[in-house]
């Protein structure tokens, strides 16, 4: 029996889920739900219905896991607790500071309905969190570091676009190579925000705009750019489209720790991602965790779960015997 | 309440467990069991008793998790099923091909006793296996590669020492840099044994030995060296002691995979370890899984488990709330 997946919200992430489901023979896409007029939404998979989001709950018998592809600011805090009343759900809630509150809300819903609701699935939170946890449990005497990039930050790109005189723009977060090297050396450096990442902006200015003023405004923008070494490059609209239309990302989680009776031995554990498409990779992680949600609920579990609560074997379509024989 | 750890077998790995327990405030070392005369075994922790292995079972009420530090060839196939009748146990059984058989034997014992028995814990099998599983579940369209080193291979060092005219020796397994680069490029190369690793030997010859003959014999040794580019360096006993007495190791697990409707996007997931002390790092992994074994059994689970079956949260001494708030 295949796992029937529903997608709620058909943007970059939703489309990524659709692509990931295609790669997993034990799954099928059952339906897409959208806030737009359903007939206006063209999806990639032939024969799969697109419904209005208002019809989602009425389709609950046709969906094993509903994947919520909305945003963390306003969509998911409402949607995840709501849909966990009716479905096993997975979301990619990524406002780190609000995870405890989101967990509590979702857990209450999912405990009542007997469903499994996985929150904050993706790569950070997600795979990076897992690597922080594994490495710190193994090497309690140590320090971990997370670096992001090189990759496009949507939030920072949006911030650039709000500057007066800016027509369009893209921002790359780039880890500082010398900081990575210092961490890998095991010296456990204390690194400031500025020492860890640089920010590179590609900006299309409106005709006649004051470029110096734009550059100054970006570089001094609090929270977003002021604490970083930021470079601003003005380019044409054509160049932006040609060279900067991808959504790459990635990063590094590195833990350096000591063992031995006198802490005489040093160890470096490093996990890194280099992603051509941030939303498609995130979607691929979510899809694997949708399999886990389905299986865990079948086994009688319920409530809110994070990647920390999921035994790795649940993620794979292979049997436990097969995993032990071939991957262990 | 602290978790009371017993160590069975006090060699490099056993001593590594002792050091790791010291770093984990929720654990205490309760006893060491040895096949040697107990009074001849000096351990590092003050006040902890050393018993003969024959007395282990009589101490079962004083131990929450017994860590089995024997070898995979002959010790663990007997010890793990035997001690799982009386204790929660963890072993580092690393004969990959015999894991299914070992699992079945241990599972039968642990199911009957109601204990949790974790097998094949360490870094390979162990953390490397986990990374193979996570990455392949996330990127089903892809290929994974495992490289070992730079590090000391005990088995290959032993093989050198068996050659006539060799007094002592150490062998390093070294990944081929160009192979790593090819894998990281996403080109999914097919790599032969020879293309992936080189073997570097440091040999102390007996006085008057035929060096050319030793070199030839090592380089052509089937299974161990014949399929590799092997270098043999003759050094003095003093140099061996000075420069090659450590037990470093490490390696890389890399998966390269594609996503997108037409597999148009590429992703590289890489996990690497750089370890000053192979046995101490292995011991640190085992110690974290001892915590998991203890907790899982407290919750009513039993039987044989591998790293694939353990939800990551069980490994950490921090509470679930704390992990969500700070590591997720």
């Amino acid at each position: 029996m295949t796992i029937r997946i529903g997608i709620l919200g058909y943007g970059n992430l939703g489309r990524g889920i659709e692509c990931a489901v295609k790669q997993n023979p034990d799954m099928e896409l059952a339906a897409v739900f959208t806030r737009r007029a359903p007939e206006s939404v063209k999806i990639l998979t032939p024969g799969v219905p697109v419904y209005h989001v208002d019809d989602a709950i009425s389709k609950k018998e046709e969906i094993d896991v509903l994947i919520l592809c909305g945003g963390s600011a306003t969509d998911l805090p409402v949607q995840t607790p709501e849909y966990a009343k009716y479905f096993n759900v997975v979301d990619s809630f990524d406002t780190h500071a609000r995870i405890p509150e989101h967990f509590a809300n979702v857990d209450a819903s999912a405990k009542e309905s007997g469903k499994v609701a996985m929150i904050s699935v993706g790569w950070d939170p997600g795979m990076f969190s897992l690597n922080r946890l594994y490495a710190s449990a193994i090497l309690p005497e140590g320090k971990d570091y997370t670096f992001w990039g090189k990759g496009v930050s949507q939030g920072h790109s949006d911030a650039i676009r709000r500057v007066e005189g800016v027509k369009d723009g893209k921002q790359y977060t780039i880890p500082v190579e010398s900081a990575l090297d210092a961490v890998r050396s095991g010296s456990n450096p204390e690194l400031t925000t500025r020492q860890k990442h640089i920010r590179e902006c590609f900006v299309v200015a409106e005709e006649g705009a004051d470029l110096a003023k734009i550059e100054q405004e970006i570089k001094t923008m609090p929270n977003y750019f002021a604490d970083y070494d930021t470079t601003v490059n003005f380019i044409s609209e054509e160049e932006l489209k040609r060279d900067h239309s991808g959504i790459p990302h990635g990063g590094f989680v590195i833990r350096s720790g000591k063992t031995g009776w006198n802490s005489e031995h040093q160890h470096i554990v490093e996990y890194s991602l280099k992603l051509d498409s941030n939303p498609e990779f995130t979607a691929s992680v979510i899809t694997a965790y949708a399999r886990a949600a389905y299986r865990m609920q079948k086994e009688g579990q319920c409530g809110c779960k994070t990647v920390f609560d999921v035994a790795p074997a649940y993620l794979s379509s292979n049997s436990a015997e097969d995993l032990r024989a071939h991957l262990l």
Side-chain angles (χ1 to χ4, degrees), chain A residues 49-106:
Chain A
V50 179
Y51 299 115
H52 192 267
V53 67
D54 291 348
D55 297 327
I57 293 167
S58 73
K59 306 289 177 192
K60 70 189 165 83
E61 299 305 329
E62 296 159 35
I63 309 275
D64 293 312
V65 186
L66 182 65
I67 297 177
L68 304 173
C69 299
S72 297
T74 55
D75 297 334
L76 297 175
V78 177
Q79 289 176 347
T80 314
E82 172 63 14
Y83 290 104
K85 293 179 190 163
Y86 309 97
F87 298 92
N88 297 313
V89 297
V90 187
D91 81 16
S92 59
F93 185 78
D94 66 359
T95 311
H96 291 261
R98 295 185 61 195
I99 286 175
E101 175 192 344
H102 188 56
F103 183 93
N105 294 338
V106 173

Side-chain angles (χ1 to χ4, degrees), chain A residues 167-170 202-206 211 233-244:
Chain A
K167 198 168 175 188
D168 205 351
K170 215 62 176 280
F202 292 89
V203 178
V204 181
E206 280 168 5
L211 302 190
N233 307 285
F234 290 98
I235 60 174
S236 70
E237 202 160 6
E238 196 177 43
E239 285 171 308
L240 188 78
K241 201 167 204 166
R242 188 190 65 206
D243 302 333
H244 305 284

